[in-house]
Amino acid sequence: MSRIAYVNGQYLPLSLASVNIEDRGHQFSDGVYEGIAVRKGQIRDLQPHLDRLWRSLKGLMIDIPMAHGPLTMVLREVVRRNRLRDGFIYLQVTRGTARRDHAFPLDAVPSLSITCRRLDFDGVAKRAEVGVLAHSTTDIRWGRCDIKSISLLPNVLAKQEAREAGAFEAILVDSDGLITEGSSTNIWMVDDAGTLITRDTIDNILPGITRAVILEVAAELGLKVETRAFSLDEAYGAAEMFLTSTTSCAMPIVGLNGKKIGAGKPGPIALKLLAVYMKKLDQD
Ligand code: PDD
């Protein structure tokens, strides 16, 4: 069955779906996106994803393409037409199509496109049993990383650097030597006392939806949490580390820059958080 995309009012086979050559997303990265999980045919955490999309649009002064209600219907229709059970929805809004000029066009209509693909959550859980490796690199991004902008070149370069170093994820480090986040994930550590530490979202990082759910799970489990920045050195001495994102859920990090984290295998707190997270994903 061919995959179906939604582009500006039309549902089309992926091979026929296209945007205008003068779309400002294509020419200026002038747009925002969301990535949303689908589990057992249900769209998960839709409200927080839409809230974040609205904040991103506002942050870039891009008009809202469609109200929450109709957009929810379109997302459900994309899931239905693709017969998606477990998957990932990619939604992108750009400022629209106009003759190339840096300043905002006066009359552009935002462009909305949505695609989806399968995501094997059991495969994610299997990978978590082994854990992943991380590689650190300098964070060269701009000052508005709270906006989920499609302008991801620093993230792309960082991820590629990590992959070439044999790692799964790049951990970004700011000019003070503090970890900001991953190239497409939020980063956490657990100290020897079992306290969870993750950077505050007021600190120019993306407010991850998975991060927010994991904070809820941590509260339910009675775990102590500190939302503050931590350095690479502190991370090297962590009892555990893990990353969170829609596609990786809560994934243990077992090595950083060739050094073992904790015992060099997935830690019990990360695995517990993942187990509860997966249960929530199944039930909600
Ligand atoms: N990435 N930080 C960055 C820079 C991200 O790009 C993402 C998401 C996250 C985690 O956010 P969430 O828990 O809401 O997925 C943190 C998505 C998955 C992507 O770019 O594909």
Side-chain angles (χ1 to χ4, degrees):
M1 196 188 85
S2 79
R3 287 164 63 198
I4 303 294
Y6 172 90
V7 187
N8 293 325
Q10 285 186 297
Y11 297 92
L12 297 162
L14 210 60
S15 55
L16 299 178
S18 61
V19 292
N20 193 291
I21 191 79
E22 290 207 298
D23 188 289
R24 289 178 63 94
H26 180 57
Q27 293 185 331
F28 294 113
S29 290
D30 190 0
V32 300
Y33 76 105
E34 275 299 322
I36 311 171
V38 174
R39 178 70 165 157
K40 297 188 174 159
Q42 299 297 314
I43 302 172
R44 302 296 171 180
D45 297 315
L46 181 58
Q47 193 58 46
H49 278 286
L50 292 184
D51 289 346
R52 187 171 66 182
L53 175 65
W54 255 240
R55 276 202 309 277
S56 295
L57 289 166
K58 193 161 174 238
L60 296 186
M61 291 162 278
I62 295 176
D63 288 343
I64 288 157
M66 202 183 269
H68 273 208
L71 182 54
T72 301
M73 282 167 67
V74 171
L75 288 166
R76 290 200 180 124
E77 187 60 13
V78 169
V79 169
R80 193 186 71 76
R81 289 190 187 224
N82 285 280
R83 295 190 198 146
L84 194 66
R85 290 280 301 156
D86 288 347
F88 176 76
I89 299 173
Y90 177 80
L91 177 163
Q92 176 173 310
V93 183
T94 72
R95 200 179 304 278
T97 296
R99 199 174 73 104
R100 189 177 183 279
D101 180 12
H102 287 66
F104 297 175
L106 292 176
D107 52 358
V109 177
S111 175
L112 169 64
S113 55
I114 303 170
T115 54
C116 67
R117 63 175 164 84
R118 292 188 203 297
L119 177 64
D120 175 13
F121 288 101
D122 297 334
V124 173
K126 275 232 135 34
R127 170 175 276 158
E129 287 171 14
V130 184
V132 297
L133 300 175
H135 164 87
S136 70
T137 190
T138 308
D139 191 343
I140 58 168
R141 299 173 304 159
W142 69 330
R144 289 305 307 274
C145 297
D146 58 312
I147 295 174
K148 206 160 169 52
S149 150
I150 58 172
S151 193
L152 288 172
L153 202 45
N155 309 60
V156 166
L157 295 175
K159 184 82 89 183
Q160 181 61 21
E161 187 184 319
R163 292 290 159 87
E164 286 176 16
F168 175 77
E169 176 60 311
I171 291 185
L172 308 178
V173 180
D174 68 16
S175 53
D176 296 322
L178 300 169
I179 290 169
T180 52
E181 60 188 318
S183 67
S184 62
T185 60
N186 290 112
I187 303 294
W188 302 64
M189 64 167 271
V190 182
D191 70 11
D192 284 335
T195 303
L196 287 174
I197 306 165
T198 194
R199 193 162 174 136
D200 200 307
T201 52
I202 58 166
D203 262 357
N204 193 32
I205 63 164
L206 187 81
I209 305 301
T210 319
R211 177 187 179 281
V213 177
I214 291 292
L215 283 172
E216 279 172 31
V217 173
E220 283 164 27
L221 295 174
L223 297 170
K224 208 173 148 228
V225 178
E226 288 176 13
T227 47
R228 63 163 176 86
F230 54 97
S231 68
L232 264 185
D233 274 343
E234 199 177 352
Y236 290 140
E240 298 183 31
M241 280 185 83
F242 60 96
L243 54 83
T244 55
S245 77
T246 300
T247 50
S248 286
C249 304
M251 181 63 63
I253 296 172
V254 296
L256 171 57
N257 296 339
K259 296 180 173 62
K260 265 189 199 171
I261 297 298
K265 54 182 191 163
I269 293 181
L271 290 177
K272 178 72 188 165
L273 290 167
L274 175 64
V276 178
Y277 177 85
M278 287 293 196
K279 226 186 208 155
K280 268 187 187 289
L281 204 60
D282 279 357
Q283 286 165 355
D284 284 350

